[in-house]
Amino acid sequence: MAFLHLLILSVQSSSLILLVAVTGYCCAKYGILNASAQKGLSQLTIKLLMPCLLFAQVAESIDADTLLQLWPLPIFFIIISLISGLLGLIGGKIFNFSSSQTRFVATGIIFNNVTSLPIGLIQSLVATEAISFLLWGDHDTPKKAAARGISYALLNTLLANILRFSFGTWLLKKEGNIDNNRITDVEQVNTENTPLLSSSHQTFRAPFSNLIYKIKEFMNPPLYAALIAIIVGTIPTIKSLFFKDSTIFYIVITRPAQYIGDIAIPLTILLLGAQLNNLSSSKSREILGIISYIMTCRFIIMPIIGILLVVMTREWYFKDPMLWFVMMMTASGPSAINIMNMAQITGTFQEEVAALLAYSYLALAPMVTVFMMIMLGVIERLTNN
């Protein structure tokens, strides 16, 4: 009965995403969301909505003690990311993908849903008998276990967003996709009319200007927001200024950021559906093999690897079944919805990402139920032993 209830909740969760995406598709098809509107809303999401969401969620849930005590999570996250990237490279070699296609495949495998799916499943488990598999000791309660699980998932969210909006945006850039804003005159050509002092000054500034450019090329608004959130969240005095209801910072900055940030995910999903309207049937068929490989890795290979790693390393850290569950989920599930935001930042692969996410979330309901049953079964055996 618990698994049947879980299946119903999984279908409800994925159907919500699909219905919003279908709405976006219809809006694009009938001209409500034309190309210009899509571009404007994409920029709004990247430059305002997503940074507000990251600041509001991460800064509130993270503190220095949490970061120190949960060292297994970042280590596990890094290992899983490296293995995922390796699978992308292997797929590129085996199936003879181009360099840019291999980057797209690696992006789809590395960056999975480590936020809404794990948190949604944890919240749904609380209402079922399956939560008993994830209790830690005789005095644990479903509510306490769920709170721990959500904090673990939010730490993964922080790590994932830093990686997505730094390495991920670089990874999605196609060959020859040059930033038009790049500084081109830093080694500026000198002539006989150029003052000597100006030439020396320019030569001195060149390495510094190049460094600044490289940093600016690497950074983007969501990444800035994630880094600011870490600073605010890990310094208690500053955190209290931003997250106590009575402070002026909470009223003027935090509360509006929370309110605005809540729009980010629904709008991203709406734009996802609109992008599907732009995907030609020929292009969809062309990338079907690439998408199939990504989904095989995300729904089959990586969950198996994640489960095996937890089973082999569980003696090295505290034996919280909820921690094991979140670590297994770190390796599982579909590609993250906000890789669409990454594609929007770089201006590449937007149609391909839309197709990948559409197929992935269509397969989510049956697949998530299968690996949930396997994970809970494994965790039950580990706790009994």
Side-chain angles (χ1 to χ4, degrees), residues 17-322:
I17 294 172
L18 289 172
L19 287 172
V20 176
V22 168
T23 302
Y25 175 85
C26 293
C27 287
K29 186 174 181 63
Y30 293 105
I32 300 172
L33 273 178
N34 56 31
S36 177
Q38 291 177 39
K39 184 177 180 180
L41 289 174
S42 296
Q43 290 296 309
L44 177 68
T45 302
I46 292 300
K47 294 182 177 180
L48 178 63
L49 304 185
M50 188 59 66
C52 286
L53 177 67
L54 289 175
F55 174 80
Q57 285 190 347
V58 173
E60 185 176 21
S61 60
I62 290 296
D63 57 56
D65 289 338
T66 301
L67 290 176
L68 290 174
Q69 293 173 4
L70 297 180
W71 64 266
L73 278 175
I75 298 297
F76 194 83
F77 179 86
I78 292 170
I79 293 171
I80 289 297
S81 298
L82 290 173
I83 295 173
S84 299
L86 183 61
L87 284 174
L89 294 176
I90 292 172
K93 291 292 184 182
I94 293 176
F95 298 106
N96 199 28
F97 297 146
S98 68
S99 176
S100 59
Q101 286 175 331
T102 302
R103 288 180 172 219
F104 171 66
V105 168
T107 301
I109 300 173
I110 294 172
F111 303 105
N112 63 314
N113 189 323
V114 294
T115 307
S116 58
L117 180 59
I119 290 176
L121 291 174
I122 289 168
Q123 291 173 334
S124 68
L125 285 169
V126 174
T128 71
E129 296 177 4
I131 191 64
S132 62
F133 301 153
L134 304 178
L135 298 181
W136 188 15
D138 297 334
H139 301 291
D140 201 9
T141 65
K143 186 175 180 180
K144 289 180 181 179
R148 288 198 313 276
I150 291 172
S151 68
Y152 300 157
L154 286 173
L155 177 56
N156 272 340
T157 299
L158 171 62
L159 299 169
N161 281 311
I162 290 175
L163 189 64
R164 283 171 194 163
F165 294 110
S166 54
F167 175 70
T169 52
W170 172 84
L171 196 62
L172 271 186
K173 289 182 180 178
K174 289 183 178 178
E175 298 169 355
N177 185 29
I178 306 296
D179 186 351
N180 292 328
N181 294 322
R182 182 168 186 169
I183 300 171
T184 58
D185 59 350
V186 173
E187 303 295 0
Q188 177 182 4
V189 178
N190 295 319
T191 69
E192 55 197 25
N193 295 321
T194 304
L196 181 61
L197 180 60
S198 174
S199 176
S200 302
H201 182 61
Q202 192 69 25
T203 303
F204 173 77
R205 287 181 57 191
F208 180 74
S209 298
N210 283 335
L211 176 63
I212 294 297
Y213 167 72
K214 287 179 181 179
I215 293 173
K216 288 174 67 177
E217 187 183 42
F218 183 76
M219 298 296 288
N220 49 67
L223 184 54
Y224 280 119
L227 295 177
I228 292 170
I230 294 174
I231 295 171
V232 172
T234 54
I235 302 176
T237 305
I238 299 179
K239 186 172 182 176
S240 63
L241 289 176
F242 281 91
F243 288 94
K244 279 190 176 179
D245 293 354
S246 58
T247 66
I248 187 65
F249 290 97
Y250 175 80
I251 295 170
V252 174
I253 297 175
T254 306
R255 190 166 62 180
Q258 292 171 335
Y259 187 72
I260 294 172
D262 287 341
I263 309 171
I265 298 301
L267 185 56
T268 298
I269 299 171
L270 196 73
L271 291 172
L272 160 66
Q275 288 289 339
L276 286 176
N277 182 61
N278 303 331
L279 184 67
S280 65
S281 58
S282 60
K283 192 165 190 177
S284 180
R285 288 193 297 270
E286 176 188 330
I287 63 174
L288 190 58
I290 295 175
I291 290 175
S292 298
Y293 179 72
I294 294 173
M295 291 178 62
T296 299
C297 291
R298 281 265 41 96
F299 283 113
I300 299 175
I301 298 175
M302 288 308 301
I304 293 173
I305 291 173
I307 291 171
L308 290 176
L309 282 176
V310 170
V311 171
M312 292 186 296
T313 64
R314 69 186 187 280
E315 300 293 337
W316 299 357
Y317 39 83
F318 57 95
K319 300 177 182 179
D320 180 2
M322 182 59 80

Side-chain angles (χ1 to χ4, degrees), residues 38-39 42-43 104 172 174 271-272 275-276 278-279 283 339-357:
Q38 291 177 39
K39 184 177 180 180
S42 296
Q43 290 296 309
F104 171 66
L172 271 186
K174 289 183 178 178
L271 291 172
L272 160 66
Q275 288 289 339
L276 286 176
N278 303 331
L279 184 67
K283 192 165 190 177
I339 64 171
M340 175 58 77
N341 300 135
M342 294 158 53
Q344 291 163 350
I345 288 175
T346 59
T348 58
F349 292 113
Q350 293 185 55
E351 296 177 3
E352 291 87 343
V353 167
L356 168 63
L357 295 179

Side-chain angles (χ1 to χ4, degrees), residues 8-21 361 364-365:
I8 294 171
L9 291 172
S10 299
V11 171
Q12 289 175 342
S13 176
S14 59
S15 65
L16 175 65
I17 294 172
L18 289 172
L19 287 172
V20 176
Y361 284 86
L364 175 61

